[in-house]
Amino acid sequence: MIRKAGECDISQIAACEACCFPLPLSARAIADMLKNPLYLFLVAEDQGTFAGHAAILFTGETAEILSVAVLPAFREKGLATKLLEETEKQTFRNDAIEMLLEVRISNLPAIRLYEKYGFEKIALRKNFYSAPPEDGITMRKGIKLP
Ligand SMILES: CC(C)(COP(=O)(O)OP(=O)(O)OC[C@H]1O[C@@H](n2cnc3c(N)ncnc32)[C@H](O)[C@@H]1OP(=O)(O)O)[C@@H](O)C(=O)NCCC(=O)NCCS
């Protein structure tokens, strides 16, 4: 099940960030973002248990995907795909026309996930990441209007 996050999810989202990323969003940053209508957090649950989340920033015509993260015990069960499906629905509802994201060039599971979902590589960003330093790839998926 995918649902919108609320304040009660902050600690689990922060723990998931810390588990999945070298430079995670802090609980304080997540709390501030949840109060800002430009940000959306989605939570994925597996039989009622927190399993992962997505963070999205809406800037006009673009929905920028800041994080997609699934806890290790719940991976390869389709949850990230479900988070992307809901992100795409919300992108359409917000009148945005594209989803954009950055991914580390070595993160093959994530690149495969995004490519399978229809994202295309549109730019290589040299030294985009720190800790550890690494190139990033910008990926894009356009939203098709019905
Ligand atoms: C990347 C990540 C979000 C995938 O989550 P997930 O719920 O396991 O993904 P799904 O089950 O929806 O997988 C969908 C597709 O992604 C690809 N994929 C997922 N995990 C993979 C892996 N370990 N190796 C290769 N491909 C993988 C596959 O193409 C898969 O399709 P398939 O099942 O038909 O093979 C998860 O591994 C994760 O949280 N990683 C750490 C955080 C991260 O790197 N986030 C992305 C950058 S923002």
Side-chain angles (χ1 to χ4, degrees), residues 102-105 124-137:
E102 312 286 347
V103 60
R104 285 180 182 267
I105 200 164
L124 174 68
R125 307 193 68 180
K126 294 299 279 182
N127 298 314
F128 182 78
Y129 290 100
S130 54
E134 191 174 353
D135 295 345
I137 298 174

Side-chain angles (χ1 to χ4, degrees), residues 20-21 66-70 74-81 102-103 107-110 112-114 116:
C20 292
F21 301 115
L66 306 175
S67 317
V68 177
V70 175
F74 299 97
R75 287 181 189 165
E76 298 186 53
K77 298 169 78 174
L79 288 178
T81 303
E102 312 286 347
V103 60
N107 192 347
L108 294 183
R112 291 206 180 112
L113 162 74
Y114 297 134
K116 188 173 176 203

